[in-house]
């Protein structure tokens, strides 16, 4: 049973990391570094959680899930526009802007949640939101293993993989997106609106990050937004770099990092003797990030990032 549990956990973590990494890929392929994926995930999850608190639990499951996913995507999109405006219009430093988005998102979420949850018994409020009525709508199980829950976001990922590959490599939009990330001046010389393409790339990254944030909080019936997105946004960036900004390689990286993340959660069932060792839980919690550092150390030298990523576009430069 623990093997099935590890598989189920690995699959949902793969879905979260890969969906968000796809978002980062679109942004960086257009030439904008989106370090604010963690913030976009937090905002998408937060707005979706608020909506789930007001939606009737008797609502048609398909309509409810579709609406919640769209709202999470829209919230992530709108939040990512802060980066787009700062980086594309005002040529702001993209690293600093993305970091600011990551700091601001959990802060505003916690403030609003505390304001919502203030009661006479909890005058300080709480940073947690409960949306348990909708948790089961996003999961399913197989006959004979009802205790093991699989997420519908795995199905969303399976649909996204061929769609993202086709969109990036086989459509005019994808080719224009990549040209703006490689040589924006050349793209501009043939009539491509570089700023518009970069806005679109950042917007897509925000949408996918918002969906990834929703997938993350749907792993439970409540979420403490003080933890933001629990570092998944940064892991997704590592997956994107490991995958060389290529959709199929990103999927492979998502599976690899998700497997170690699954081990960090399920280690008591794998190594029961270690579960009682003081401090061992922190070692396993750090395991995915340790693996991330080791993998990037050995693969970063071969990384071939888009040449113009992180460079503000100067229309007069040649």
């Amino acid at each position: 049973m623990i093997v099935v549990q590890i598989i189920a956990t690995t699959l949902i973590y793969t879905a979260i990391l890969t969906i968000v990494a796809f978002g980062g890929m679109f942004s960086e392929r257009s030439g904008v570094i989106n370090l604010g994926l963690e913030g976009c995930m937090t905002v998408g999850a937060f707005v979706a959680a608020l909506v789930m608190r007001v939606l009737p639990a008797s609502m048609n499951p398909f309509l409810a899930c579709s609406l919640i996913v769209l709202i999470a995507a829209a919230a992530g999109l709108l939040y990512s526009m802060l980066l787009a405006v700062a980086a594309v219009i005002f040529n702001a430093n993209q690293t600093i802007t993305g970091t600011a988005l990551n700091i601001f998102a959990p802060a505003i979420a916690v403030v609003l949640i505390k304001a919502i949850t203030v009661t006479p018994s909890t005058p300080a409020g709480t940073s947690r939101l409960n949306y348990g009525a909708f948790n089961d709508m996003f999961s399913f199980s197989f006959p004979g293993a009802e205790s093991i829950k699989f997420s519908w976001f795995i199905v969303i990922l399976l649909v996204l993989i061929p769609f993202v590959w086709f969109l990036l490599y086989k459509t005019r939009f994808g080719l224009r997106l990549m040209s703006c990330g490689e040589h924006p001046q050349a793209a501009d010389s043939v009539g491509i609106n570089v700023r518009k393409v970069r806005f679109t790339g950042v917007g897509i990254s925000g949408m996918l990050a918002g969906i990834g944030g929703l997938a993350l909080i749907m792993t439970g019936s409540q979420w403490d937004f003080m933890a933001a997105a629990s570092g998944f946004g940064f892991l997704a960036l590592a997956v994107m770099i490991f995958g060389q900004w290529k959709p199929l390689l990103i999927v492979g990286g998502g599976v690899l990092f998700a497997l170690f993340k699954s081990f960090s959660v399920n280690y008591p069932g794998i190594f029961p003797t270690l579960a009682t060792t003081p401090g061992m839980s922190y070692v396993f919690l750090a395991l995915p990030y340790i693996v991330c550092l080791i993998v990037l150390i050995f693969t970063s030298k071969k990384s071939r990032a888009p040449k113009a990523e992180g460079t503000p576009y100067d229309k007069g430069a040649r």
Side-chain angles (χ1 to χ4, degrees):
M1 189 63 72
I2 185 62
V3 174
V4 179
Q5 181 64 49
I6 292 173
I7 292 173
T9 309
T10 301
L11 287 175
I12 179 56
Y13 287 158
T14 299
I16 297 168
L17 290 173
T18 306
I19 290 172
V20 179
F22 279 163
M25 178 196 70
F26 275 107
S27 183
E28 297 205 7
R29 282 287 193 175
S30 74
V32 179
I33 300 174
N34 189 355
L35 288 184
L37 291 175
E38 182 97 355
C40 293
M41 290 180 70
T42 303
V43 169
F46 168 63
V47 175
L50 289 180
V51 171
M52 284 186 278
R53 285 173 61 91
V54 299
L55 284 179
S58 58
M59 189 174 179
N60 179 278
F62 178 78
L63 289 178
C65 291
S66 299
L67 177 62
I68 293 166
V69 169
L70 289 175
I71 288 173
L77 166 65
L78 291 175
Y79 194 65
S80 69
M81 287 298 99
L82 296 175
L83 171 64
V85 170
V88 180
I89 301 299
F90 297 107
N91 294 337
N93 185 289
Q94 297 169 16
T95 301
I96 294 175
T97 305
T99 303
L101 293 181
N102 289 336
I103 295 172
F104 181 69
I108 190 64
V110 169
V111 168
L112 293 177
I113 293 169
K114 284 181 176 291
I116 293 169
T117 57
V118 166
T119 64
S121 59
T122 56
T126 176
S127 58
R128 291 180 177 272
L129 273 183
N130 192 308
Y131 40 83
F134 289 89
N135 184 253
D136 290 338
M137 290 186 184
F138 285 92
S139 62
F140 64 95
S141 58
F142 293 101
E146 285 76 10
S147 60
I148 306 297
K149 298 293 185 180
F150 293 86
S151 174
W152 284 111
F153 288 99
I154 300 168
V155 179
I156 293 176
L157 174 62
L158 293 176
V159 174
L160 271 178
I161 292 172
F163 176 77
V164 166
W165 181 88
F166 182 83
L167 180 65
L168 191 65
Y169 293 118
K170 299 298 181 179
T171 67
R172 178 182 297 180
F173 166 75
L175 297 176
R176 289 185 172 188
L177 183 85
M178 290 190 289
S179 68
C180 290
E182 292 293 336
H183 202 307
Q185 284 78 17
D188 186 31
S189 69
V190 295
I192 298 174
N193 189 326
V194 176
R195 286 188 170 182
K196 181 179 179 181
V197 171
R198 287 189 169 183
F199 257 90
T200 305
V202 175
I204 293 174
S205 75
M207 289 175 60
L208 293 177
I211 295 173
L214 173 61
L216 176 62
I217 67 171
M218 283 292 105
T219 55
S221 60
Q222 63 177 354
W223 189 260
D224 187 349
F225 282 87
M226 188 74 76
S230 294
F232 272 82
F234 299 106
L235 276 179
L237 285 172
V239 169
M240 178 194 66
I241 296 170
F242 175 80
Q244 296 292 297
W245 296 265
K246 298 177 180 178
L248 298 183
L249 290 179
I250 286 175
V251 175
V255 173
L256 174 66
F257 285 89
L259 181 61
F260 284 101
K261 187 67 176 177
S262 179
F263 281 151
S264 72
V265 173
N266 296 298
Y267 79 92
I270 307 171
F271 308 107
T273 54
L274 293 178
T276 58
T277 304
M280 189 56 63
S281 61
Y282 298 105
V283 174
F284 278 95
L285 286 174
L287 180 62
Y289 304 97
I290 295 172
V291 172
C292 170
L293 289 173
I294 294 173
V295 169
L296 291 181
I297 287 171
F298 286 100
T299 61
S300 59
K301 290 184 179 180
K302 298 181 180 179
S303 293
R304 294 183 179 179
K307 293 180 181 179
E309 73 162 4
T311 304
Y313 173 58
D314 181 2
K315 191 176 181 66
R318 287 290 185 269

